[in-house]
Amino acid sequence: MAQGLTITCEDAAAATRVTPARGRPKIMADEAVRAMIVAHARDAFLEVGYAGTTMDLVAARCRISKRTLYRLFPGKTDLFTAVVILHRQSMLDLPRPDDEDLPVAEALEAIFKIDIDEVADRERIAFIRLVITESTRFPEIELLILRDGAEASRRLLAEWLMRQVERGLIALADPSKAAQMLMDMVFGVFARRRHHGEWGSREERRAYVRMCIDIFVNGVARG
C-alpha cells in the first residue's frame, strides 16, 4: 500500500467536492489528491464492483493522469485497501480519548456510530454487502479485508475494552474474544436482511443494535 496515507472519512467527503476543474490543472498536495482518489474509488467500487472498477476508470473520474494515480496507488489492491481503511473509520469511532467519562453502554453506542446520518448509513451498509460478495469472488482482496478491516477493528475495540477492565468498569477474561463477539452481534444486523427483506426502518435497526449492546454490557458488568 502507498506510504503516508492518512485519510479520514471527513477528508474523503470533502474531496468529492473539490474535484479538479477541466482545463489547466491546479497543483494539489498529495494528501488532498489521495483523499480525492479514495473518495471516487469508493463510489466506483460501490457502483460497478471490484471487477468493474479499473485504474483507468478511477483516473478518469478524478480527472488526473494515470501516472499520478499509479504514483500514489501502485495497483488496484492498494486502492481497495485504502477504501477498506476509510470504511473502517465509518464503522468504529476508535481510538477514543483516554479521559472520556461515559457509561460503557453510551460509549459503545458512540463507538459503533449507531446515530450516523442516513446517507453515511446507506453507504456503510452498501460497502459491507460489497465486501461480503466480492471477498468470495476475489481471493486477493479477502486477506486485505481481514487484515485492514475486521482484524484492525477488532484490535482497536479489544484495546478499548481492556482499558475499561483496567478502570474497573467491566469484567472480562479475554477482551479480544469479547471484541469479536460484540462485533459479530452488532455488524450482523448490517450484513443481513430481516426475514429475507430489508429492515423496516433505520430506527428499528438502531433499536436492535442498542439491544445487542445492552445484552453485552449486562453480561460483562462487574458484580
Side-chain angles (χ1 to χ4, degrees):
M1 183 178 170
Q3 297 299 312
L5 181 62
T6 54
I7 298 170
T8 67
C9 296
E10 291 74 16
D11 292 334
T16 59
R17 300 192 291 271
V18 294
T19 302
R22 294 185 183 277
R24 186 175 180 179
K26 295 181 179 179
I27 297 175
M28 298 175 64
D30 278 356
E31 284 302 310
V33 177
R34 285 191 184 99
M36 178 185 66
I37 292 170
V38 173
H40 283 289
R42 176 196 59 194
D43 292 344
F45 286 128
L46 289 175
E47 290 172 22
V48 299
Y50 183 78
T53 299
T54 64
M55 298 293 273
D56 285 356
L57 173 63
V58 174
R61 288 193 173 195
C62 295
R63 298 175 186 167
I64 60 174
S65 69
K66 288 189 287 184
R67 179 179 178 180
T68 297
L69 177 59
Y70 279 102
R71 177 173 64 83
L72 297 173
F73 297 95
K76 187 164 74 169
T77 55
D78 300 280
L79 193 51
F80 194 78
T81 298
V83 174
V84 168
I85 292 172
L86 178 69
H87 169 73
R88 187 182 77 215
Q89 297 167 353
S90 77
M91 297 296 293
L92 290 177
D93 187 9
L94 287 171
R96 298 183 68 80
D98 289 336
D99 59 353
E100 183 177 56
D101 189 21
L102 284 176
V104 174
E106 289 184 25
L108 285 171
E109 289 181 10
I111 287 170
F112 282 99
K113 295 188 171 185
I114 67 171
D115 290 321
I116 197 170
D117 69 70
E118 186 172 357
V119 172
D121 187 49
R122 285 200 303 267
E123 290 178 350
R124 176 166 65 177
I125 293 172
F127 195 78
I128 290 174
R129 292 176 181 172
L130 170 73
V131 163
I132 292 171
T133 301
E134 302 293 65
S135 63
T136 60
R137 298 176 58 201
F138 301 98
E140 69 268 25
I141 68 172
E142 184 176 12
L143 288 178
L144 70 85
I145 289 170
L146 289 174
R147 182 194 66 204
D148 297 302
E151 285 302 308
S153 295
R154 182 191 56 76
R155 285 195 301 272
L156 288 170
L157 184 56
E159 289 169 4
W160 183 85
L161 289 171
M162 189 67 240
R163 288 198 297 273
Q164 310 319 302
V165 171
E166 292 167 351
R167 295 172 64 192
L169 299 179
I170 60 176
L172 280 174
D174 191 332
S176 181
K177 289 182 180 177
Q180 186 64 63
M181 183 185 304
L182 183 55
M183 288 170 58
D184 289 344
M185 292 171 65
V186 174
F187 292 151
V189 70
F190 299 117
R192 63 182 171 79
R193 293 172 171 80
R194 183 189 182 200
H195 305 312
H196 307 292
E198 294 293 342
W199 284 84
S201 65
R202 290 181 65 233
E203 289 71 25
E204 183 180 15
R205 190 168 61 249
R206 279 195 299 237
Y208 181 88
V209 173
R210 281 196 172 96
M211 183 172 68
C212 291
I213 289 173
D214 286 342
I215 290 172
F216 177 85
V217 171
N218 288 331
V220 300
R222 296 189 67 88

